[in-house]
Amino acid sequence: MAGIAKRIDFPPLQDLTFQLALQHDRSAYDSAYVALAQYLGVWLFTADRRLFNAVGSALDYVQWIGDDQFEAVPDAEDAETPARRERGPGE
């Protein structure tokens, strides 16, 4: 199985990162995530309310995950994971 992680070099993103940081008054740390999402053409889902409030209305690819979206967090023993699916129930 191929890995799902992909390394992205920062130099192509640095100008956009700092532009977003200045434009939206956010840290370079926050803006790097926003820039990466824009660069890759993917959604950025965030639970960081301050980040969302700062950029959400201007950048439609930044989405708020919402409050109380999850009714409960499953117990680790009950959670279905890829490893559990491969092993089967009760293993």
Side-chain angles (χ1 to χ4, degrees):
M1 179 176 168
I4 60 171
K6 181 178 178 182
R7 180 176 181 221
I8 305 292
D9 290 326
F10 185 68
L13 298 173
Q14 78 184 30
D15 288 343
L16 180 57
T17 296
F18 295 118
Q19 175 189 354
L20 289 166
L22 292 172
Q23 183 178 357
H24 298 285
D25 195 28
R26 303 305 309 154
S27 68
Y29 178 88
D30 284 350
S31 298
Y33 286 101
V34 177
L36 180 61
Q38 182 175 323
Y39 178 79
L40 295 175
V42 298
W43 296 100
L44 171 62
F45 291 93
T46 184
D48 183 333
R49 187 176 298 278
R50 287 183 285 182
L51 174 61
F52 179 74
N53 288 343
V55 303
S57 62
L59 306 172
D60 62 355
Y61 59 91
V62 178
Q63 299 289 309
W64 175 247
I65 64 167
D67 292 320
D68 302 319
Q69 190 169 0
F70 306 101
E71 291 182 18
V73 175
D75 291 333
E77 292 181 10
D78 296 334
E80 185 172 331
T81 64
R84 280 225 169 84
R85 283 193 295 273
E86 288 175 14
R87 287 195 311 257
E91 292 183 41

